[in-house]
C-alpha cells in the first residue's frame, strides 16, 4: 500500500502495510513523535492530528486514508524559530505537567480556534471533553486557550471576553 500526502507542509509518501494507522505512520515512518498513542481506541485524544484542518484521532485512521490530504501534527503548529501563540500561552500558564496529552490538546485547540476564534469557556470545555489529562485539572489549559483566542481572531474582530 502506498499513500502520498502533505505532512507538516512537506510532500511525503508512505509505503507499508494496509493496516498501518496514521499515528504509527507519522511516528515510526516520519519521526513525528509528538503524536502520542494512548488508548488506541480514539477515547483519550493523545493521538489527535489535523487532517485538512480538522481534528482527527490518528489511531482510528489508516495511513492509506491520508492519501491526497494535508496532515499536521503538533510539530507542524510552529516553526523552528518560535512557539505558536497557542504553545506560548500553554507555556505561560503552565498548562502541562507530564506532557503526554499536550500534543493532542494543542492540535484540538488549534482546530477549534481556527474555526471558532471567539469560542467561549463552555465551548472550549465541550471540545476538550474528548481529551483526557490526568495531571493538570484542565484549569491552566482552559486559561491558555482563552488567552490564545486573540491570535486567531480575524482582522477587525476581537476574541470574546
Amino acid at each position: 500500500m502506498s499513500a502520498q500526502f502533505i505532512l507538516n507542509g512537506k510532500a511525503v509518501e508512505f509505503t507499508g502495510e494496509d493496516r498501518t494507522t496514521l499515528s504509527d505512520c507519522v511516528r515510526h515512518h516520519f519521526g513525528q513523535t509528538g503524536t502520542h498513542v494512548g488508548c488506541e481506541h480514539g477515547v483519550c485524544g493523545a493521538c489527535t492530528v489535523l487532517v485538512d484542518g480538522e481534528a482527527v484521532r490518528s489511531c482510528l485512521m489508516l495511513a492509506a486514508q491520508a492519501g491526497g490530504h494535508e496532515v499536521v501534527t503538533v510539530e507542524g503548529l510552529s516553526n523552528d524559530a518560535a512557539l505558536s501563540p497557542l504553545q506560548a500561552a500553554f507555556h505561560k500558564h503552565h498548562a502541562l505537567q507530564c506532557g503526554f496529552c499536550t500534543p493532542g490538546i494543542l492540535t484540538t485547540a488549534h482546530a477549534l480556534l481556527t474555526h471558532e476564534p471567539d469560542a467561549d469557556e463552555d465551548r472550549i470545555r465541550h471540545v476538550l471533553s474528548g481529551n483526557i489529562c490526568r495531571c493538570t485539572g484542565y484549569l491552566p489549559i482552559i486559561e491558555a486557550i482563552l488567552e490564545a483566542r486573540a491570535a486567531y481572531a480575524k482582522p477587525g474582530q476581537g476574541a470574546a471576553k
Side-chain angles (χ1 to χ4, degrees):
M1 186 280 310
S2 179
Q4 297 176 348
F5 56 96
I6 305 298
L7 178 61
N8 295 331
K10 297 179 181 155
V12 296
E13 182 171 359
F14 169 73
T15 302
E17 295 185 39
D18 294 350
R19 66 182 182 188
T20 303
T21 62
L22 182 57
S23 58
D24 284 345
C25 174
V26 299
R27 285 182 57 78
H28 303 298
H29 296 276
F30 298 113
Q32 303 301 287
T33 57
T35 301
H36 294 158
V37 179
C39 67
E40 297 188 76
H41 296 287
V43 176
C44 74
C47 69
T48 304
V49 299
L50 304 173
V51 177
D52 296 336
E54 300 296 325
V56 171
R57 306 289 199 224
S58 64
C59 73
L60 297 178
M61 183 174 177
L62 297 173
Q65 293 173 293
H69 296 281
E70 180 178 0
V71 177
V72 177
T73 66
V74 69
E75 291 92 346
L77 292 182
S78 66
N79 60 41
D80 292 334
L83 296 175
S84 72
L86 181 60
Q87 291 168 319
F90 265 61
H91 181 266
K92 176 182 173 184
H93 290 275
H94 307 287
L96 58 105
Q97 286 181 10
C98 82
F100 191 81
C101 67
T102 305
I105 290 176
L106 284 168
T107 53
T108 299
H110 177 80
L112 170 64
L113 296 179
T114 297
H115 298 301
E116 300 176 44
D118 59 346
D120 64 12
E121 184 174 339
D122 287 340
R123 178 68 177 144
I124 293 167
R125 285 179 180 278
H126 175 75
V127 169
L128 287 185
S129 67
N131 293 81
I132 297 172
C133 175
R134 295 181 176 182
C135 299
T136 67
Y138 296 93
L139 294 177
I141 294 170
I142 301 296
E143 291 170 359
I145 295 169
L146 286 168
E147 180 175 310
R149 293 179 305 172
Y152 289 84
K154 293 167 182 61
Q157 170 190 20
K161 300 280 182 205

